[in-house]
């Protein structure tokens, strides 16, 4: 609680001082997303103030969407906004996260010769080689989604040597560097429970619900070029199913 400050001689209400201290700690990255804040009772004892004052301070921060109060668990910092998007507008989901200022971190590049999910989409036979790339998108210090990319070696030779910037679009890479006639994409999604490895990568609870999108990118003859599986935890993305009006 070293980041909390109260001046009882000040004319500024104590609840505002508490809220300001926490707000500043979040701004300075002393507090980060999902950090647990002190309990109401802990703050009351530390500063000799009433429970009502602490509740006022937390109420102010909750209205600013800087914290979340979870009954039975506690109070947590929430610096990652939740993206609200339409299921009919999937292509703009990643763009919405990009506006938050995310950066992508490259986790893995390897050559594989089978993938139960991607190979059928890409019409690849077992033993045909493909690159598998794993990327994590990060907002400040918090992982917000992951992407698994499968790209055939025959279409993307030496990809392991040229794919050095995970923030560069794979679609642009396909068009600009490999001169592939990318023309279409298909997408389907499922609401799934995260596996242990995915939950660990995203630093969320195991079995937490997540939106998983399987995207196949095709050329102008509708031949598949590459495959991307994107996983968005439900705590950071909400898809609504409102009908598209014409």
């Amino acid at each position: 609680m070293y980041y909390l400050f109260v001046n009882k001689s000040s004319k500024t209400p104590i609840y505002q001082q508490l809220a300001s201290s926490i707000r500043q700690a979040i701004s300075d990255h002393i507090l980060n997303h999902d950090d647990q804040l002190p309990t109401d009772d802990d703050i009351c004892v530390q500063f000799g103030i009433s429970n009502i004052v602490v509740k006022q301070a937390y109420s102010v921060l909750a209205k600013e969407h800087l914290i979340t109060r979870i009954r039975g668990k506690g109070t947590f910092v929430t610096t990652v906004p939740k993206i609200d998007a339409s299921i009919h507008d999937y292509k703009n989901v990643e763009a919405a996260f990009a506006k938050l200022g995310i950066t992508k971190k490259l986790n893995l590049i390897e050559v594989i010769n089978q993938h139960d999910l991607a190979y059928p989409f890409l019409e690849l036979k077992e033993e045909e080689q493909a690159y598998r790339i794993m990327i994590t998108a990060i907002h400040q210090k918090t992982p917000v989604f992951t992407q698994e990319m499968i790209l055939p070696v025959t279409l993307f030779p030496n990809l392991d040597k040229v794919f050095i910037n995970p923030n560069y679009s794979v679609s642009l890479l396909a068009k600009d560097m490999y001169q592939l006639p990318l023309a279409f994409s298909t997408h389907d999604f499922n609401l799934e429970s995260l596996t242990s490895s995915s939950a660990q990568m995203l630093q969320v609870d195991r079995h937490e619900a997540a939106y998983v999108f399987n995207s196949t990118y095709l050329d102008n003859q509708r031949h598949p070029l590459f495959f991307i599986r994107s996983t968005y935890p439900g705590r950071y993305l909400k898809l609504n199913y409102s009908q598209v009006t014409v």
Side-chain angles (χ1 to χ4, degrees):
M1 290 194 291
Y2 71 91
Y3 49 83
L4 294 177
F5 173 76
V6 169
N7 179 359
K8 291 187 176 181
S9 299
S10 172
K11 293 182 180 180
T12 302
I14 292 176
Y15 81 90
Q16 291 184 6
Q17 294 182 51
L18 287 172
S20 180
S21 295
I22 295 171
R23 197 182 292 114
Q24 188 63 49
I26 292 172
S27 177
D28 293 341
H29 302 299
I30 295 169
L31 290 171
N32 297 298
H33 185 77
D34 261 356
D35 282 351
Q36 187 165 8
L37 294 170
T39 66
D40 299 25
D41 289 343
D42 285 344
I43 297 177
C44 290
V45 171
Q46 177 73 20
F47 296 103
I49 58 180
S50 75
N51 188 272
I52 294 175
V53 172
V54 180
K55 289 186 182 299
Q56 282 182 297
Y58 278 161
S59 177
V60 168
L61 295 169
K63 289 178 180 177
E64 295 175 5
H65 304 291
L66 291 175
I67 66 170
T68 298
R69 305 265 270 172
I70 303 175
R71 186 184 297 274
K73 288 189 175 182
T75 304
F76 299 86
V77 176
T78 52
T79 58
V80 180
K82 191 170 188 176
I83 300 297
D84 195 340
S86 168
I87 187 62
H88 305 289
D89 197 24
Y90 163 71
K91 291 183 180 180
N92 287 327
V93 169
E94 187 173 343
F97 277 96
K99 289 180 180 179
L100 299 179
I102 64 162
T103 57
K104 291 184 176 181
K105 175 179 173 56
L106 181 61
N107 301 117
L108 171 72
I109 296 182
E110 65 175 343
V111 176
I112 60 175
N113 55 27
Q114 63 178 10
H115 191 287
D116 291 343
L117 181 63
Y119 268 44
F121 278 106
L122 293 172
E123 300 175 5
L124 291 177
K125 297 178 181 177
E126 189 172 333
E127 302 304 327
E128 288 189 78
Q129 291 188 326
Y131 288 104
R132 177 175 178 257
I133 297 174
M134 294 294 298
I135 288 173
T136 304
I138 299 170
H139 178 267
Q140 295 177 1
K141 296 182 180 181
T142 304
V144 291
F145 67 87
T146 61
Q147 289 183 320
E148 179 185 27
M149 305 178 182
I150 309 297
L151 306 96
V153 170
T154 54
L155 298 177
F156 295 87
N158 301 312
L159 180 64
D160 55 328
K161 297 180 176 60
V162 300
F163 191 82
I164 57 176
N165 182 6
N167 294 289
Y168 188 72
S169 166
V170 175
S171 295
L172 291 177
L173 184 74
K175 289 180 179 179
D176 297 344
M177 183 166 293
Y178 288 97
Q179 304 297 307
L180 295 174
L182 180 60
F184 306 99
S185 60
T186 62
H187 311 273
D188 64 59
F189 91 99
N190 296 295
L191 188 60
E192 301 180 5
S193 295
L194 290 172
T195 62
S196 296
S197 59
S198 295
Q200 186 173 13
M201 183 78 73
L202 289 162
Q203 298 177 12
V204 298
D205 297 332
R206 183 183 179 187
H207 300 314
E208 182 168 321
Y211 295 101
V212 179
F213 291 86
N214 298 315
S215 304
T216 307
Y217 295 79
L218 310 100
D219 65 17
N220 47 20
Q221 299 298 314
R222 294 195 175 274
H223 297 137
L225 300 175
F226 59 93
F227 171 90
I228 299 179
R229 179 178 172 87
S230 303
T231 302
Y232 298 89
R235 65 173 67 186
Y236 304 132
L237 174 65
K238 178 184 178 183
L239 290 181
N240 63 71
Y241 299 86
S242 57
Q243 295 295 317
V244 177
T245 57
V246 179

